[in-house]
Amino acid sequence: MMQTVTLTIDGTPVRATKGSSVLDAALECGICIPHLCHVPFLKDTGACRICIVENVKNGGASVTASCTLTAQEGMVIRTNTEKIQKLRRNIAELLVAQAPNSKAIQDVAVRCGVKEVRYPFRNDNCIQCGRCVRYCTEMWRANALGFVGRGKNRRVEFPFATRPEFCKNCGSCTLYCPMSVTPCGGPMKRGEESLCGKCESQTVMAPGMIGACVRCDLGKGFQCTRHML
Ligand code: FES
């Protein structure tokens, strides 16, 4: 029989499969914590930090990524406190600044309540979420992609910067990349980047946002089932 644990998320008791993450437990019961690097069937690495929550214990609360936090019996989680909203907005702004041409990232940022981005745009076209690398490694066991370099020079690359023969040409690295959904207005011109969020359906929902799903393209393209509700 499947073992379960009961935790409290935003004041609601939630039953989750033992061993599942807090993010999965929340999504399962309709509490949509914004997430970006998470893919349901791949190992979570906590790369984007957008899914942060407060884990309340011993009279205090620690901030941690919910996709890498295992749900435990009696756990108390807060997903939408003012502190979390503020931190999450900041993380979302940084992600947009890093890759302003990603519609998926724009959607998530809008969902987090970001109205403008205070950081200079870097146009890296990659936020190093590792979705492509993990898919290639875990689903195909191809290892045709990996991270190279350190610090500012860290990037996703083929071995020796050349597509290897053992690449299956499956195209999944592109399919699962947050950059693969182009913005509504098409790619932004360098120097004229902005937070898009022009889609009426999303901006209308942006001000409240508490627990709301904006049916972002991230969900549509990347298998979060919430967008279908
Ligand atoms: S979805 Fe959890 S850190 Fe990216």
Side-chain angles (χ1 to χ4, degrees), residues 53-57 60-65 69 77-78 83-84:
V53 293
E54 279 186 301
N55 181 11
V56 183
K57 57 181 174 191
S62 57
V63 174
T64 181
L69 182 64
I77 298 295
R78 298 193 294 229
K83 180 179 175 180
I84 287 295

Side-chain angles (χ1 to χ4, degrees), residues 60-207:
S62 57
V63 174
T64 181
S66 59
C67 64
T68 49
L69 182 64
T70 306
Q72 283 167 12
E73 186 66 37
M75 210 175 216
V76 177
I77 298 295
R78 298 193 294 229
T79 75
N80 235 326
T81 59
E82 263 183 45
K83 180 179 175 180
I84 287 295
Q85 288 177 25
K86 196 171 165 197
L87 287 170
R88 209 180 267 152
R89 269 201 303 275
N90 197 46
I91 294 168
E93 278 185 58
L94 285 164
L95 292 171
V96 174
Q98 202 169 347
N101 277 311
S102 166
K103 171 77 166 64
I105 297 171
Q106 291 167 8
D107 284 348
V108 171
V110 169
R111 185 183 189 282
C112 295
V114 174
K115 303 242 176 356
E116 60 174 329
V117 178
R118 296 163 297 167
Y119 299 100
F121 287 98
R122 286 171 44 193
N123 275 309
D124 289 345
N125 285 340
C126 176
I127 56 161
Q128 303 194 10
C129 62
R131 296 171 70 115
C132 53
V133 174
R134 283 179 285 146
Y135 196 96
C136 185
T137 307
E138 294 175 33
M139 298 306 289
W140 284 111
R141 306 212 178 278
N143 297 315
L145 279 172
F147 285 103
V148 296
R150 291 182 178 206
K152 275 199 314 198
N153 297 321
R154 190 170 188 259
R155 64 197 182 280
V156 174
E157 192 65 273
F158 289 125
F160 308 106
T162 308
R163 185 189 292 271
E165 275 178 19
F166 48 82
C167 167
K168 316 259 186 206
N169 283 311
C170 67
S172 300
C173 47
T174 309
L175 184 68
Y176 282 87
C177 173
M179 299 303 303
S180 65
V181 186
T182 49
C184 351
M188 286 175 241
K189 287 191 197 137
R190 190 169 281 271
E192 293 177 17
E193 302 91 345
S194 63
L195 176 71
C196 179
K198 286 176 189 149
C199 314
E200 203 181 315
S201 62
Q202 290 167 25
T203 44
V204 162
M205 295 175 78

Side-chain angles (χ1 to χ4, degrees), residues 36-71:
L36 191 51
C37 64
H38 167 75
V39 182
F41 46 86
L42 300 180
K43 264 189 219 136
D44 284 304
T45 56
C48 75
R49 314 306 291 173
I50 204 84
C51 69
I52 51 168
V53 293
E54 279 186 301
N55 181 11
V56 183
K57 57 181 174 191
N58 304 328
S62 57
V63 174
T64 181
S66 59
C67 64
T68 49
L69 182 64
T70 306

